[in-house]
Amino acid sequence: MATDVLRQEVDGPGRGPTRAQQALTAAHLYYMQDLTMEAIARELHTSRSSVSRLLSHARETGLVDIQIHSPQESTEHLASMLRDRYEVAVHLVPMPDHTSDVDRLERVAMSAARLLGRFFDSNMTLGVAWGSTMSAVSRHLVPKALSGAEIVQLNGAGNTRTTGIIYASEILRRFGRAYGAHVQQFPVPAFFDDPETKRALWRERSMKRVLEVQEGMHLALFGLGSPFAEVPSHVYIGGYLDPEDYRSLSDDGVVGDVATVFYRGDGTWRDVALNARASGPDLDQLRRAPRRICVVAGLSKLPSLRGALAAGLVTDLVIDEPLARALAQ
C-alpha cells in the first residue's frame, strides 16, 4: 500500500501559475483524486506528456513523498529482528535475490537519499565520508532548502596519484546544492606517509577549525569500505593503498573501513597499524555523532557490516533485503 503525502509549497506572486504550482495541482488530481493522466490533461488544457512531466517534477522536488508500507509479515519480522539484535533503526529496501550488486547499490542509494531529508534540517551539520556509496547517494538527493546547514568532509582524498579534490568535491557539491548548505572540504591526504606529519598538521589552526566542525556534527552519513565488494570501494581501487598496506591490513585481520579508518570483524580498531596514518575521524569520535546513517548493499559487504555493527558505529541502517536476510542468519 502506498501513502502519498503532498507537501504544500508557497510560491511568490506572479501573473500565472508557476511550474511548482502546476505540478502540485497535477499531483493532487493524480494521487488524491485518482484521475487518470488523460483526465488531468483535459482539465489542465495540456497534453498527457506534459502531465507526466509535471508528476515527475513533483516527485523529484519533494512535493510528493511516496511511502511504501509493506504488507509482508516476513519483511516486517526481519526488520524487527535486526532492530532488536543490533539496536539500530532498520530501513529495508526490497529487491529480488538475483539483482546485481550495481543495481542493488543504486536502489539502496536512492532510498537513503530520500530518507536523509527526514533527518537533516536547518542549523545542523552533516558529516559525509566520500566513496562509491556516497557518490551514488549524492546523485539521488531530493532538494530541501535549509538555513544555516553545513556539510563537512570527514576524511581526506589525496594520494600519490591525485589530490582527490575533484572526486570528493563533486560529491560534496551535490549535497550542498540539494540542501542549500555550506560545504566544508578537508584537503588532506587520505593516508599520511608518517603519523608524525598527521599530528603536526592537526595542530595547525586551519585544520583545527575543520576538525572542530567534524566533532560537532549532528549526523554522519557513510558507506562501508570492503576489500571483498563486487562494486569496489574507492579506497581499495583508487591508488590509496600499496602492497605493503594490503599486507598490513591482512595481518591485522581487517574486514572493512568507515571514512578510511579500518576495523576487524569483532569491531576492534585502535591497534590497526594503518589507522595511525588515516585522516578519517577515529571511531570513538564517530560514535559521538547522535545519528549515524550507514548505507550498505550487496552480500559481499556482509563481513564489513558485521564488524561495523560490532563496533557500535550505526544508529540507522539502510540495507537491501537479501543482505538483511544474510545478516539475520
Side-chain angles (χ1 to χ4, degrees):
M1 179 177 66
T3 302
D4 306 308
V5 183
L6 302 181
R7 295 195 183 102
Q8 296 287 346
E9 175 170 314
V10 178
D11 295 293
R15 294 183 179 179
T18 65
R19 181 170 175 79
Q21 289 171 328
Q22 293 175 326
L24 185 59
T25 298
H28 267 293
L29 295 173
Y30 186 77
Y31 290 106
M32 304 302 288
Q33 299 182 33
D34 290 329
L35 295 187
T36 65
M37 282 194 272
E38 289 82 358
I40 297 171
R42 288 194 298 271
E43 184 158 334
L44 298 183
H45 305 290
T46 187
S47 66
R48 185 184 185 282
S49 60
S50 294
V51 173
S52 178
R53 287 193 294 270
L54 287 172
L55 293 174
S56 295
H57 180 74
R59 292 191 298 271
E60 291 168 358
T61 58
L63 290 173
V64 171
D65 178 18
I66 299 177
Q67 302 178 36
I68 305 298
H69 302 281
S70 172
Q72 300 178 11
E73 182 179 347
S74 60
T75 301
E76 294 298 325
H77 177 69
L78 176 59
S80 177
M81 180 192 305
L82 295 178
R83 181 174 61 248
D84 293 342
R85 180 183 300 178
Y86 295 106
E87 298 182 343
V88 298
V90 179
H91 309 276
L92 277 181
V93 182
M95 64 187 67
D97 287 340
H98 58 74
T99 306
S100 71
D101 271 18
V102 173
D103 286 341
R104 288 189 194 195
L105 176 58
E106 283 299 311
R107 296 187 191 187
V108 171
M110 183 179 294
S111 295
R114 279 146 174 62
L115 178 70
L116 182 60
R118 301 184 195 175
F119 302 136
F120 190 38
D121 216 332
S122 295
N123 302 311
M124 296 180 71
T125 298
L126 168 66
V128 176
W130 57 261
S132 302
T133 300
M134 289 304 99
S135 180
V137 171
S138 72
R139 295 193 294 270
H140 298 290
L141 294 168
V142 177
K144 178 182 180 181
L146 303 180
S147 174
E150 189 166 24
I151 311 289
V152 62
Q153 181 180 339
L154 290 183
N155 52 320
N159 61 27
T160 56
R161 300 179 186 176
T162 174
T163 63
I165 291 175
I166 294 177
Y167 175 76
S169 64
E170 176 61 20
I171 296 172
L172 294 168
R173 184 187 62 81
R174 292 175 189 150
F175 278 93
R177 184 175 59 190
Y179 297 113
H182 172 71
V183 172
Q184 177 61 66
Q185 293 184 313
F186 195 34
V188 299
F191 300 99
F192 289 84
D193 290 334
D194 188 335
E196 286 300 324
T197 307
K198 170 185 168 180
R199 284 190 282 268
L201 187 58
W202 268 209
R203 290 194 295 267
E204 293 291 323
R205 286 179 296 173
S206 60
M207 286 296 104
K208 281 185 176 181
R209 180 181 60 81
V210 182
L211 295 172
E212 288 170 359
V213 175
Q214 292 176 353
E215 181 68 40
M217 63 183 167
H218 302 87
L219 293 86
L221 181 68
F222 54 88
L224 300 179
S226 170
F228 317 110
E230 290 185 29
V231 179
S233 302
H234 193 74
V235 70
Y236 297 98
I237 62 171
Y240 292 92
L241 303 171
D242 58 31
E244 184 177 342
D245 293 329
Y246 282 108
R247 284 193 294 271
S248 176
L249 293 176
S250 178
D251 291 344
D252 280 333
V254 163
V255 298
D257 76 277
V258 171
T260 60
V261 177
F262 300 94
Y263 53 83
R264 303 182 181 90
D266 61 2
T268 57
W269 60 274
R270 290 182 180 84
D271 58 342
V272 172
L274 197 55
N275 287 343
R277 300 194 282 116
S279 60
D282 70 53
L283 301 188
D284 287 333
Q285 177 183 337
L286 183 64
R287 279 195 293 259
R288 288 195 288 272
R291 189 180 292 276
R292 305 177 298 279
I293 305 170
C294 174
V295 184
V296 61
L299 292 173
S300 57
K301 290 288 185 83
L302 181 59
S304 56
L305 175 56
R306 289 191 187 279
L309 291 168
L313 304 181
V314 181
T315 63
D316 291 78
L317 179 62
V318 187
I319 183 175
D320 65 273
E321 187 178 352
L323 177 56
R325 289 200 301 269
L327 179 63
Q329 293 175 357

